[in-house]
Amino acid sequence: AQSVAQPEDQVNVAEGNPLTVKCTYSVSGNPYLFWYVQYPNRGLQFLLKYITGDNLVKGSYGFEAEFNKSQTSFHLKKPSALVSDSALYFCAVNYGGATNKLIFGTGTLLAVQP
Amino acid sequence: AAGVIQSPRHLIKEKRETATLKCYPIPRHDTVYWYQQGPGQDPQFLISFYEKMQSDKGSIPDRFSAQQFSDYHSELNMSSLELGDSALYFCASSLGPGQTQYFGPGTRLTVL
């Protein structure tokens, strides 16, 4: 079955330190992988995506993610966290073809302490 | 840049009432998706449309229906509302199916 897993409900990091939010996906065809961020009482904001090509993808606000096919992972990273990065982060997968829907992970709450 | 517009932003209804949610996609986007996000949950796909035709269907109750109009805006019609329908309803649009989906701010539906 197609699924996405975010093993951490919450990640805590000090401002200025690097951050990683983990995501793994089930293997089925060639997945398109996405990261979205949700601030309180706001919609989902697109950060970055992997379709094909270079395994390291750069996105908005200094975020990047690395696609690892052997580990079926797509972890979100940022070299230096900001307090304003504190939000709920969702990993999502789209298997393309006739299935257009995004399947979301359960979300990871990122808390950046000043 | 123009974003996805959803109206209303907040809606309060009684049980067994009906509700209509509207979504206006980003200009030139021809594909619209609807998602439901319950409290503390991840968004769940409901239904999508491409060029005014239903393209995919998820866990949408039979009490709900949706359509996409000639100007590409979409409406989600919800009847016989239940308490469990209380959620955030997101609309997203993309430039073609399978492309990056851009989300609107959501409609918060509260059923009393």
Side-chain angles (χ1 to χ4, degrees), chain B residues 98-110:
Chain B
Q99 299 304 307
T100 300
Q101 296 179 28
Y102 295 92
F103 285 75
T107 294
R108 183 172 294 281
L109 172 67
T110 302

Side-chain angles (χ1 to χ4, degrees), chain A residues 32 34 36 38 40-46 49 51 88 90 94 96-107, chain B residues 9 31 33 35 37 41-45 48 55-58 88 90 97-106 108:
Chain A
Y32 299 173
F34 301 81
Y36 286 85
Q38 185 175 30
N41 300 313
R42 300 279 295 276
L44 293 155
Q45 187 173 336
F46 169 73
K49 67 179 179 183
I51 304 287
L88 187 57
F90 287 101
N94 175 334
T99 301
N100 304 318
K101 63 184 178 183
L102 283 174
I103 299 171
F104 286 88
T106 50
Chain B
R9 293 293 308 277
T31 309
Y33 313 78
Y35 293 84
Q37 185 179 30
Q41 297 181 2
D42 54 290
Q44 295 291 316
F45 172 75
S48 63
S55 56
D56 202 356
K57 191 171 182 180
L88 258 175
F90 288 111
Q99 299 304 307
T100 300
Q101 296 179 28
Y102 295 92
F103 285 75
R108 183 172 294 281

Side-chain angles (χ1 to χ4, degrees), chain A residues 5 10 12 14 32-33 48 53 59 72-73 83-84 91 101:
Chain A
Q10 183 163 338
N12 299 303
Y32 299 173
L33 295 156
L48 50 81
T72 62
S73 66
V83 172
S84 57
C91 182
K101 63 184 178 183

Side-chain angles (χ1 to χ4, degrees), chain B residues 1-2 13 23 42 44 46 58-59 71 74 82 84 111:
Chain B
K13 291 286 185 179
C23 169
D42 54 290
Q44 295 291 316
L46 292 178
S59 51
D71 63 351
S74 177
E82 301 173 356
V111 181

Side-chain angles (χ1 to χ4, degrees), chain B:
Chain B
V4 176
I5 297 172
Q6 290 188 248
S7 68
R9 293 293 308 277
H10 301 274
L11 190 59
I12 299 175
K13 291 286 185 179
E14 300 278 344
K15 282 194 307 183
R16 293 179 288 277
E17 285 190 323
T18 61
T20 296
L21 279 54
K22 297 185 179 182
C23 169
Y24 297 87
I26 293 170
R28 295 191 301 117
H29 282 196
D30 53 13
T31 309
V32 169
Y33 313 78
W34 286 97
Y35 293 84
Q36 178 191 58
Q37 185 179 30
Q41 297 181 2
D42 54 290
Q44 295 291 316
F45 172 75
L46 292 178
I47 195 166
S48 63
F49 294 87
Y50 167 59
E51 282 291 347
K52 293 152 278 185
M53 298 287 289
Q54 181 181 307
S55 56
D56 202 356
K57 191 171 182 180
S59 51
I60 184 170
D62 292 340
R63 299 177 289 109
F64 294 5
S65 64
Q67 57 181 325
Q68 186 180 30
F69 295 85
S70 57
D71 63 351
Y72 296 106
H73 94 272
S74 177
E75 294 183 5
L76 178 66
N77 298 293
M78 310 160 73
S79 62
S80 302
L81 287 169
E82 301 173 356
L83 296 178
D85 296 329
S86 295
L88 258 175
Y89 290 83
F90 288 111
C91 172
S93 73
S94 68
L95 191 59
Q99 299 304 307
T100 300
Q101 296 179 28
Y102 295 92
F103 285 75
T107 294
R108 183 172 294 281
L109 172 67
T110 302
V111 181
L112 302 176

